[in-house]
Amino acid sequence: MIDLSSFKGIIFDMDGTLVDSMGRHINAWQVTCEVFGYPFDADYIHSLGGVPTLETVEMLNAKYNKQNDAEEVAGFKKRTSENLPDIPTLIPDTLAVFNHYIQSHPIAVGTGSDRPHAEWLLSHHNIIEQLKALVTADDVKNGKPHPETFLMAAEAMNVAPEDCVVFEDTEMGQRAALGAGMTCVMVKDGKIVNSLV
């Protein structure tokens, strides 16, 4: 078990870090890209994990020189994701960390997902009632890689940013954590792959 005893607060990203939902997002984005005429690049979409959907659409428009309405594309992607039959499962490695420290540390989730989706998914897994804070795309002006998500989570936990450790699975999320002055632990394919950064 990774030793987090020197920290006063723990923050988890949700998709791809605490919940094995990146595959679901990738599948929904594949359908969305086909409908709206974007070339589909699974690696690029994965690299944007944690970026709010509206911002992802704006980045796709810029990358591929499209003028698609961001609200329309984001709404389509959201409905597509919700209509997929599977409910994502929790990731054992990070869940073990969550369960080990939940009694001794305040824990928050900072996600690029919208609040209704995050609340539904975390409630399904009986996580949400254990959290000290939940910060979603609906709560911030600037999504990842901006540090606002994690800074807001730290404030809600009443913990100084430098006393927080973040678990993330994307470079965007890592940039947000480091930009917030926090330590970051990376998760890749459901495994904790590095020591404290």
Side-chain angles (χ1 to χ4, degrees):
M1 176 63 60
I2 188 168
D3 182 7
L4 305 178
S5 59
S6 62
F7 297 97
K8 296 178 181 175
I10 302 169
I11 306 171
F12 288 93
D13 169 54
M14 186 176 75
D15 297 307
T17 301
L18 192 58
V19 183
D20 188 12
S21 49
M22 283 304 288
R24 181 188 182 97
H25 281 291
I26 298 291
N27 291 340
W29 272 117
Q30 183 170 9
V31 174
T32 304
C33 286
E34 289 168 359
V35 168
F36 289 94
Y38 302 109
F40 176 68
D41 180 342
D43 289 337
Y44 177 66
I45 293 294
H46 188 275
S47 77
L48 300 180
V51 176
T53 306
L54 273 173
E55 290 182 36
T56 299
V57 177
E58 291 164 1
M59 293 170 79
L60 287 169
N61 277 341
K63 182 177 175 68
Y64 297 114
N65 197 27
K66 298 283 186 183
Q67 305 298 322
N68 290 323
D69 181 88
E71 295 275 358
E72 181 186 0
V73 178
F76 180 89
K77 187 268 174 182
K78 184 175 187 292
R79 292 189 299 276
T80 301
S81 182
E82 288 170 350
N83 289 330
L84 292 172
D86 59 313
I87 296 178
T89 58
L90 296 176
I91 294 174
D93 280 29
T94 46
L95 178 62
V97 174
F98 182 97
N99 288 336
H100 183 79
Y101 286 100
I102 191 62
Q103 299 302 325
S104 59
H105 288 66
I107 295 181
V109 166
T111 177
S113 289
D114 62 58
R115 180 163 285 276
H117 175 72
E119 288 182 345
W120 166 75
L121 191 51
L122 295 170
S123 295
H124 175 81
H125 290 295
N126 300 312
I127 292 287
I128 195 164
E129 62 269 20
Q130 302 180 71
L131 296 175
K132 189 77 171 175
L134 170 63
V135 180
T136 72
D138 297 333
D139 305 312
V140 298
K141 290 190 175 76
N142 304 290
K144 302 172 190 176
H146 193 281
E148 184 179 359
T149 298
F150 295 138
L151 290 171
M152 189 176 287
E155 184 177 2
M157 292 191 296
N158 199 28
V159 177
E162 62 269 22
D163 292 326
C164 291
V165 59
V166 175
F167 285 78
E168 261 290 355
D169 70 312
T170 67
E171 183 191 348
M172 291 280 188
Q174 183 184 48
R175 283 167 56 194
L178 298 179
M182 301 178 184
T183 299
C184 189
V185 174
M186 294 303 291
V187 178
K188 185 172 177 61
D189 299 325
K191 299 295 180 186
I192 295 170
V193 295
N194 74 339
S195 55
L196 306 173
V197 175

